[in-house]
Amino acid sequence: MAKGKAKDQKGKKITLKIAKNSIRISSDGGRRLDLSKMGITTFPKCILKLADIDELDLSRNMIKKIPSSIQKFQKLRWLDLHSNKLEELPGAIGTLQNLFYLNICNNKLTTKNLPEELNLLKNLRILNLGLNCLDSIPTSLGALKELKEIGLFDNTLTTIPNSVKKLPKLKKLNAERNPFPDSTKKEHADSIKRLQTLYLVQEKDLCCSCLKVCQDERDKLNKLKNGTPSPSKKPSFPLLLTPNSFAKDNQEEWRLREKHP
């Protein structure tokens, strides 16, 4: 019985053969190594021999640590580590200059253990930090000027730095279920509308057509607040992946849309 438990704690051993057989070609022609839901407890060193892949999915395992050797994956554009047991990330992740999708939600990351080198990922467009143990967001993430979407939901945040809120290309921000004080909520009530998109600009800066879209969304939100039944879809953040859901259709759509940014 004890031996069985010890075997379970070690997790599944990934061999180079298993890894090679787990490579798929994504819709945009990239090589994707999918080792999700494999019962892995430690980063498989054998995959360092496959460092020319474009996408790496290690999500929904039990991995506690990502080694500095992750820097060998210099072609990596997509890295999914969500739903593991990560307590920290190596600073070497900042060397992945081609990375534009990083999902590390549903782990055990604290603000202290977020590497400063995250701000070096200049091409990053989607970052998911939801469902962690973050009590603040580093202002240095304001250096990610290409960032379009960020997930901060289900942490212990009391504020979001202006450097992040004012990122020039930010279109979606999910910060639900954080203990923001009432004063902070009121401060951002007019500029932040959490339906499918956060509007981070003032009305005077919008063209007529964009302003109408914003006003329509505001009307929908008011109806929801007033308890008016509506057949419309529930608010969703399909590209900010949540645990137990890969939203594969959205991933494929996203890859095609971002293939030629």
Side-chain angles (χ1 to χ4, degrees), residues 29-47:
R31 298 174 72 239
R32 177 182 180 85
L33 175 54
D34 187 349
L35 295 175
S36 63
K37 299 183 292 183
M38 299 283 280
I40 305 170
T41 56
T42 57
F43 185 89
K45 293 182 180 179
C46 66
I47 68 173

Side-chain angles (χ1 to χ4, degrees), residues 69-82:
S69 53
I70 191 73
Q71 64 188 345
K72 291 184 179 292
F73 294 86
Q74 285 298 306
K75 288 182 62 179
L76 211 60
R77 302 166 70 233
W78 178 291
L79 178 57
D80 195 340
L81 301 171
H82 88 265

